[in-house]
Amino acid sequence: MADSFVFRPSENIAALKESATIAVSQRAKALKAEGREIIDLGAGEPDFDTPAPIRAAAAAAVEQGATRYTAVEGILPLREAIAADANRAYRGPDRVTPAEVVVSNGSKQSLYNACVALFGPGDEVLVPTPSWTSYYEMVGLARATAVEVHGDPARGFKVDPARLAAHATPRTRGLMLNSPSNPTGGVYAPNELRAILDLAADRGWWVISDEIYVRISYDAPAPGALDVATRRDNLVVVNGVAKAYAMTGWRIGWTISPAPLAKAMNAFQSHTTSNAATVSQHAALAALTLGAPVEAEVQSMVAEFRKRRDAALPILRGAGLTVLEPAGAFYFYIKAPGTGADAGAAFCTALLEREGVAIVPGSAFRTPDWVRVSYAAAESQVVEACRRIARVAADIGVG
Ligand SMILES: Cc1ncc(COP(=O)(O)O)c(C=O)c1O
């Protein structure tokens, strides 16, 4: 009999890294618990309450008995609403049906379902870089290889077909897309998106299009893949209610994909989590179907994000920092002042220790000489934090 057990990570998670965005938030919380005043611009979480009509609909649903398991793939009215929404964007003859929708516990689970169902050992998946930290880990958890395709900072890090093609091999099976982007705030124009979808179709690649920020766009509406796609038999659209409706805690996301893939993801989810929380599905249904009262709140949240962006950007740029102008989502991506292989992490540490501001090092997004600042916080906090960022940058020396 063994004397004691020592945990050794299995092959499945041997290479797994903790989510750096969550790690920074935890460090900030620990400092707060010690009594330090911290401005936390690490997390990508809207600071607004879920709109009241959605909360009321959820409460009513619970009173009416929405307390039991549902179908693994989610309640039909929600999947119908998601399909109807998709069909407003997609003009092809193959209309989106509810059978092609799988509702999950947040778009994070939807993305993971898709990665596991589509990719496996020996497969390569192109990941435009910088990208949200979890793509690399999810592809790895599927035992496939994430291939970083670095965008050009001068183009806001956006990639194009030539750049993607240059990283392709016969093992390439798919591609992650995210517009508007976390962490850059970049938004692909319709023609840019279409060109990438065309390349993927030509090469036989799957496209996983993460559109969680698609409603948060400051200029023209950000196009989703279904707005420009001429076919969708290689397309998985991922979305959810977390960001646009300030519903992070409700944990509802979904995939729209061809039916056989939806069936496979559904089978996978049936053995991992089953259905997403029933009350949350009813809340999401309200978000998508209540219309004017909810839409007005979404618009006012987006307007507020824009106000914060416009108030803070001149402070950062005035300090001589290189900042990408976000056209969507709610992040500033900033070239870290200072030099060295991990200038971003050094800057984040200095900022947290000296000025009590938590932001995320670019290493989380595979660009270690950048940092990400979330402006999903009160304007006064965002502005104050940016002044502090400017101070530390001036100390370290910009440029
Ligand atoms: C690009 C991106 N995709 C997906 C998610 C996950 O969202 P959800 O709360 O729906 O799981 C996030 C959250 O930060 C994100 O930034």
Side-chain angles (χ1 to χ4, degrees), residues 109-134:
Q109 185 182 17
S110 305
L111 287 159
Y112 183 60
N113 285 348
C115 286
V116 167
L118 287 172
F119 311 129
D123 293 338
E124 293 179 359
V125 181
L126 303 179
V127 184
T129 298
S131 260
W132 184 48
T133 182
S134 293

Side-chain angles (χ1 to χ4, degrees), residues 44 106-108 111 132 135 178 182 210 212-213 242-243 251-252 331:
S107 64
K108 206 174 223 182
L111 287 159
W132 184 48
Y135 298 153
N178 177 219
N182 173 8
D210 176 355
I212 193 72
Y213 295 101
K243 314 287 180 174
R251 311 305 305 130
I252 294 290
Y331 305 104

Side-chain angles (χ1 to χ4, degrees), residues 45-59:
E45 175 162 36
D47 55 318
F48 306 107
D49 289 332
T50 300
I54 298 174
R55 287 185 273 138

Side-chain angles (χ1 to χ4, degrees), residues 22-41:
I22 289 173
V24 170
S25 261
Q26 279 171 347
R27 172 85 182 121
K29 282 193 184 107
L31 287 174
K32 267 188 207 163
E34 288 168 17
R36 278 200 57 188
E37 182 249 333
I38 302 291
I39 303 180
D40 184 359
L41 300 187

